[in-house]
């Protein structure tokens, strides 16, 4: 790989990995500047949302103004706004972009899972984050692009809020999205489990089928997860 694309982390396995490692290096080397830029983009995009207007941010996008005017809060402080969205209020309460669904926490508060509103473009960021895993692993473990991986991937139950938005765990959201179901071929992510087995809502049957597929492909299995 061309030295211009080399990373301080180590020699990349291919051009695609080199670009991913270069991206990691750039955003971590300049973390403070990157965070200031991201904050400014978020505040600029959401300048007219109800929550920011409540604290009279008045379009400011700098860190100092943000820190001085917006308090540190807990989930419970935002719960009334989240409940309004869950009940069907489509006004710009917390985001200038439409809320596409709720991601649920793995734990519970007083017996109820926390609801975290999300937007469609968040799936793109999530997929980009997942794509950075293999380039780093390839620096230390050779041959990950060979054979198949026996990975047990599961979806969990989902519900709908009174306003009709789905509420489900983050990985369930990802596995049920087109980002996962129509993902391009990637030799590093060839699984023995077909999508149909992964997306089976019955966890017992899903486990059974994924194990069976793994046993059938046992001579090609080089990775477990």
């Amino acid at each position: 790989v061309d030295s211009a694309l080399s990373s301080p982390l180590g020699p990349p396995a291919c051009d695609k990995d080199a670009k991913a490692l270069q991206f990691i290096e750039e955003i971590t080397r300049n973390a403070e500047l990157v965070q200031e830029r991201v904050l400014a983009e978020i505040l600029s995009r959401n300048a007219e949302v109800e929550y920011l207007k409540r604290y009279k941010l008045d379009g400011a996008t700098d860190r100092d103004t943000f820190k001085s005017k917006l308090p540190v809060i807990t989930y419970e402080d935002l719960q009334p706004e989240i409940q309004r969205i869950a009940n069907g209020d489509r006004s710009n309460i917390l985001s200038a972009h439409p809320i596409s669904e709720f991601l649920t926490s793995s734990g519970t508060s007083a017996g109820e899972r926390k609801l975290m509103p999300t937007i469609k473009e968040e799936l793109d960021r999530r997929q980009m984050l997942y794509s950075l895993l293999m380039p780093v692993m390839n620096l230390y473990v050779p041959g990950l692009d060979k054979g198949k991986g026996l990975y047990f991937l599961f979806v969990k139950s989902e519900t709908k809020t009174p306003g009709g938005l789905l509420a489900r765990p983050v990985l369930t959201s990802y596995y049920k999205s087109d980002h996962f179901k129509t993902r391009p071929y990637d030799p590093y992510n060839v699984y023995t489990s077909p999508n149909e087995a992964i997306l089976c809502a019955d966890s017992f049957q899903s486990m059974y089928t994924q194990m069976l597929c793994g046993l059938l492909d046992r001579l090609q299995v080089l990775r477990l997860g």
Side-chain angles (χ1 to χ4, degrees):
V1 175
D2 190 283
S3 60
L5 290 177
S6 290
S7 163
L9 293 171
C14 60
D15 282 350
K16 183 180 177 183
D17 280 13
K19 290 172 183 174
L21 295 174
Q22 190 177 42
F23 172 76
I24 292 172
E25 179 63 25
E26 287 172 359
I27 64 169
T28 53
R29 187 195 306 126
N30 303 306
E32 185 173 10
L33 291 175
V34 170
Q35 289 181 338
E36 285 194 349
R37 188 191 74 226
V38 171
L39 175 64
E41 289 173 357
I42 292 171
L43 295 179
S44 177
R45 175 190 297 178
N46 296 285
E48 296 302 312
V49 304
E50 183 181 310
Y51 185 75
L52 291 183
K53 289 174 77 173
R54 181 186 307 163
Y55 291 101
K56 297 180 172 54
L57 204 58
D58 297 328
T61 60
D62 63 287
R63 180 174 57 184
D64 290 338
T65 304
F66 174 76
K67 287 173 67 177
S68 67
K69 292 199 172 187
L70 269 83
V72 176
I73 60 171
T74 66
Y75 175 80
E76 285 68 29
D77 294 322
L78 276 182
Q79 204 161 13
E81 283 75 18
I82 290 173
Q83 197 58 53
R84 283 171 56 197
I85 298 170
N87 288 340
D89 191 332
R90 296 293 180 263
S91 53
N92 294 341
I93 300 171
L94 297 175
S95 171
H97 284 219
I99 301 301
S100 56
E101 63 180 320
F102 285 100
L103 304 179
T104 57
S105 63
S106 55
T108 65
S109 298
E112 292 187 6
R113 295 184 185 277
K114 291 184 173 70
L115 295 176
M116 293 164 278
T118 188
I119 59 177
K120 278 189 176 179
E121 72 174 44
E122 180 59 27
L123 269 171
D124 296 326
R125 286 193 286 269
R126 213 177 303 154
Q127 187 176 47
M128 190 269 288
L129 177 64
Y130 297 154
S131 74
L132 299 177
L133 299 175
M134 295 310 300
V136 175
M137 292 176 67
N138 287 337
L139 295 174
Y140 307 102
V141 185
L144 290 173
D145 58 334
K146 306 295 191 292
K148 293 184 177 182
L150 171 52
Y151 284 76
F152 292 99
L153 310 176
F154 298 95
V155 296
K156 294 187 177 179
S157 61
E158 56 188 28
T159 59
K160 277 194 173 182
T161 66
L165 291 174
L166 283 171
R168 52 193 180 180
V170 61
L171 284 177
T172 298
S173 169
Y174 177 62
Y175 295 149
K176 287 194 169 186
S177 72
D178 288 337
H179 286 70
F180 179 79
K181 291 189 287 187
T182 61
R183 62 195 183 279
Y185 172 79
D186 182 346
Y188 295 109
N189 289 313
V190 177
Y191 305 129
T192 56
S193 300
N195 286 357
E196 291 81 1
I198 295 169
L199 296 174
C200 175
D202 184 319
S203 59
F204 178 83
Q205 292 196 52
S206 177
M207 171 71 84
Y208 181 90
T209 307
Q210 292 190 64
M211 177 61 84
L212 183 61
C213 292
L215 289 170
L216 288 170
D217 271 344
R218 64 191 179 281
L219 298 181
Q220 297 183 67
V221 172
L222 296 182
R223 306 183 300 281
L224 296 172

